[in-house]
Amino acid sequence: MSPRSAPARIQVNSSAPSYQYSSSPLKSLSQTIGKVEEKSEASKSSFPETSSKAVAYWLLGSAASVFGIVVFGGLTRLTESGLSITEWKPVTGSLPPLSEEDWQSEFDKYRASPEFKLLNPHMEVQEFKKIYYMEWGHRLWGRAVGLTFVLPAIYFVARRKVSANMSLRLLGIAGLIGFQGVIGWWMVKSGLKDDLFAPGSHPRVSQYRLTAHLGAAFLCYTAMLWNGLSLLREHRLLANPANSLESLKKLSRPELSIFRKSVAGLAVLVFITAMSGALVAGLDAGLIYNEFPYMGNGLAPPKNELWDKFYSRKDDGSDLWWRNMLENPSTVQLDHRILAMTTVTAVLSLWAYSRFSPRIVANLPRAGRKGAMGCVHVVLMQAVLGISTLIYMIPVPLAAAHQAGSLALLSMVLVLGNRVWIPKRSLRLVQKRLAQMGRGPVAGRPNVGPRSKLVDAE
């Protein structure tokens, strides 16, 4: 065999394989590049799809702490202790006075305030210490709320225990906590100057600032509670994605759309009613018309009392209506009564709708019905507390319980809403989990319903 024939033979024997594998190296290279790109994207976005269950329990614990400080803040106001500390020292104010000289210095500052001059001119240092410790405890609790939220939030984000979306929510809540501290001092400051309330009247903080302070606390509590409940629900849904998709499909039926929207509207109504209660507290409007359901000789005071020109500051009277609604104690109390009775009626109506409407009964899950019943229990308790507080002229225990009841009612409505809402993000994760298991719509399981239909039903 000549040397030239060998190459020719190899060429003939290997021609077919060379043709078959001509595109294989390119395909392998493209797959390798794709894997590298996927790893690169994963390294850039290393947040998990779902947040740790520990984050949910921490959020619920933080919400419980906010609940407590709201009640304690009410006690601080009811015992007239909120104006005992006349300075705002976020860091150095963490410690109380440690010597008699320090106590005397703080007492001298309080003696220069309008509250001491008009209400407590005979107060001694020992009495001052009692109200000082109430306000100091309230401020210290506020610092604890901030630290026990911010520090764990930093840890959870740094350790990638939360999703990217949840990390942004935590940042928002942390900012709200800091803003709440600023509002708190802004509120206290309004009670330390004579020009911020009517000359010769009872020294008090601005009812507007008090309402803003309480409203920010309610929003902070709502964010913590809702996100904590949502995370726990997400973990339950992902534990059994097949059954979860079926239950979400049932919740997405049009028959429940009105019910879900009613729950959302009820949450807004409860919040507005609580804020009207803050106006009542800020104006001491609960100390008049201590009877129910009447206000004097009728269900409402006389018209000229409700729309008193005394509260108008413009010559043309254009601010008459809204200033009376926000600054006239008689009108503010009437507004709160109306909102409270509307809230009771709305809760009872929602419960009746969940119990006696055939369409709702057929589609509302058992947890939703129990949640509606829970709202009934809490709103009736809250109504009894409110009426008792009014009749007995604002005793501290009843008034504090009434303020706690407003937050408890909002909590129950949020729990109900969390049970009947359709979480879009959790739905996508459930469908993705089913697809990975080979049981989702992608794997040929159309009987559970298309994804777009469930998402749009939200």
Side-chain angles (χ1 to χ4, degrees):
M1 181 181 296
S2 64
R4 296 179 181 176
S5 61
R9 197 185 202 176
I10 294 173
Q11 185 177 3
V12 171
N13 292 338
S14 62
S15 60
S18 67
Y19 175 78
Q20 292 177 359
Y21 291 97
S22 60
S23 62
S24 180
L26 294 176
K27 183 177 181 181
S28 177
L29 180 61
S30 65
Q31 291 176 347
T32 304
I33 294 175
K35 292 179 180 178
V36 171
E37 289 178 349
E38 289 178 359
K39 291 180 180 179
S40 175
E41 291 178 0
S43 63
K44 290 179 181 179
S45 178
S46 55
F47 287 98
E49 287 185 333
T50 59
S51 300
S52 170
K53 190 177 287 188
V55 177
Y57 293 127
W58 162 68
L59 282 171
L60 294 179
S62 298
S65 183
V66 173
F67 190 106
I69 196 175
V70 168
V71 177
F72 192 77
L75 288 171
T76 303
R77 178 186 56 80
L78 290 165
T79 56
E80 296 185 344
S81 305
L83 299 177
S84 58
I85 302 179
T86 60
E87 295 177 325
W88 189 42
K89 298 178 180 179
V91 179
T92 58
S94 301
L95 295 176
L98 301 177
S99 64
E100 289 302 321
E101 292 78 9
D102 293 338
W103 276 114
Q104 189 61 47
S105 175
E106 291 296 323
F107 185 49
D108 290 340
K109 296 174 186 176
Y110 177 67
R111 291 174 64 184
S113 68
E115 182 176 81
F116 177 85
K117 296 175 181 178
L118 295 175
L119 292 182
N120 303 315
H122 305 293
M123 178 177 283
E124 300 295 336
V125 176
Q126 293 302 320
E127 296 176 275
F128 170 71
K129 288 181 179 180
K130 296 179 182 178
I131 63 173
Y132 185 96
Y133 274 124
M134 282 291 293
E135 174 63 9
W136 175 78
H138 181 59
R139 295 190 185 191
L140 186 66
W141 196 337
R143 293 181 178 95
V145 169
L147 289 176
T148 57
F149 186 87
V150 173
L151 295 181
I154 293 174
Y155 169 79
F156 285 130
V157 173
R159 300 289 295 178
R160 297 299 189 263
K161 298 290 185 180
V162 296
S163 63
N165 181 51
M166 182 55 65
S167 66
L168 295 177
R169 296 187 183 188
L170 296 183
L171 178 62
I173 297 174
L176 185 58
I177 292 174
F179 184 58
Q180 171 72 335
V182 176
I183 295 178
W185 169 244
W186 181 59
M187 176 194 69
V188 171
K189 189 177 179 181
S190 67
L192 300 176
K193 295 183 178 181
D194 293 320
D195 57 346
L196 292 179
F197 51 85
S201 66
H202 188 298
R204 62 168 68 96
V205 299
S206 165
Q207 76 272 21
Y208 298 113
R209 300 186 188 187
L210 175 65
T211 303
H213 187 50
L214 184 65
F218 270 52
L219 291 176
C220 188
Y221 173 80
T222 298
M224 292 175 176
L225 179 64
W226 181 267
N227 283 289
L229 293 174
S230 297
L231 286 181
L232 291 180
R233 187 185 183 198
E234 185 173 279
H235 280 275
R236 288 195 300 270
L237 291 173
L238 292 176
N240 193 341
N243 290 343
S244 298
L245 191 59
E246 292 291 348
S247 65
L248 290 175
K249 178 187 176 183
K250 190 174 183 179
L251 278 177
S252 69
R253 291 177 180 173
E255 291 84 354
L256 293 179
S257 177
I258 296 178
F259 185 85
R260 279 196 303 274
K261 294 175 182 177
S262 299
V263 174
L266 179 60
V268 174
L269 177 60
V270 171
F271 180 83
I272 294 175
T273 303
M275 295 307 101
S276 73
L279 291 174
V280 171
L283 292 170
D284 287 332
L287 295 176
I288 60 175
Y289 292 116
N290 301 105
E291 54 190 341
F292 188 86
Y294 295 102
M295 296 181 72
N297 295 325
L299 295 175
K303 184 178 179 180
N304 60 347
E305 181 181 342
L306 292 176
W307 309 111
D308 195 338
K309 295 180 179 180
F310 171 79
Y311 296 97
S312 177
R313 299 182 186 177
K314 293 185 178 181
D315 296 334
D316 60 357
S318 58
D319 60 342
L320 178 67
W321 66 274
W322 69 265
R323 285 198 179 276
N324 273 276
M325 291 185 68
L326 299 176
E327 298 178 3
N328 184 341
S330 300
T331 311
V332 168
Q333 190 192 120
L334 177 62
D335 291 342
H336 187 59
R337 290 187 182 210
I338 293 173
L339 285 169
M341 291 299 100
T342 304
T343 301
V344 173
T345 304
V347 171
L348 294 177
S349 300
L350 187 67
W351 170 81
Y353 186 47
S354 68
R355 290 284 173 165
F356 302 111
S357 173
R359 295 185 303 172
I360 300 300
V361 172
N363 294 282
L364 186 66
R366 184 167 177 260
R369 293 194 295 271
K370 292 174 65 176
M373 177 57 75
C375 289
V376 171
H377 292 160
V378 177
V379 79
L380 292 179
M381 176 196 70
Q382 176 68 344
V384 172
L385 284 172
I387 295 171
S388 302
T389 302
L390 178 68
I391 292 175
Y392 291 103
M393 298 187 66
I394 325 297
V396 172
L398 281 177
H402 186 49
Q403 181 164 318
S406 64
L407 201 51
L409 179 57
L410 180 63
S411 304
M412 198 65 241
V413 176
L414 291 174
V415 169
L416 173 59
N418 191 265
R419 291 177 178 180
V420 300
W421 217 252
I422 304 173
K424 294 181 180 180
R425 186 175 181 279
S426 298
L427 174 60
R428 287 192 291 268
L429 291 175
V430 166
Q431 292 174 327
K432 183 177 180 180
R433 184 69 58 85
L434 283 174
Q436 292 173 347
M437 296 168 57
R439 300 173 62 185
V442 176
R445 199 175 170 217
N447 58 317
V448 298
R451 171 175 175 249
S452 61
K453 180 179 178 180
L454 286 175
V455 173
D456 292 341
E458 175 87 2

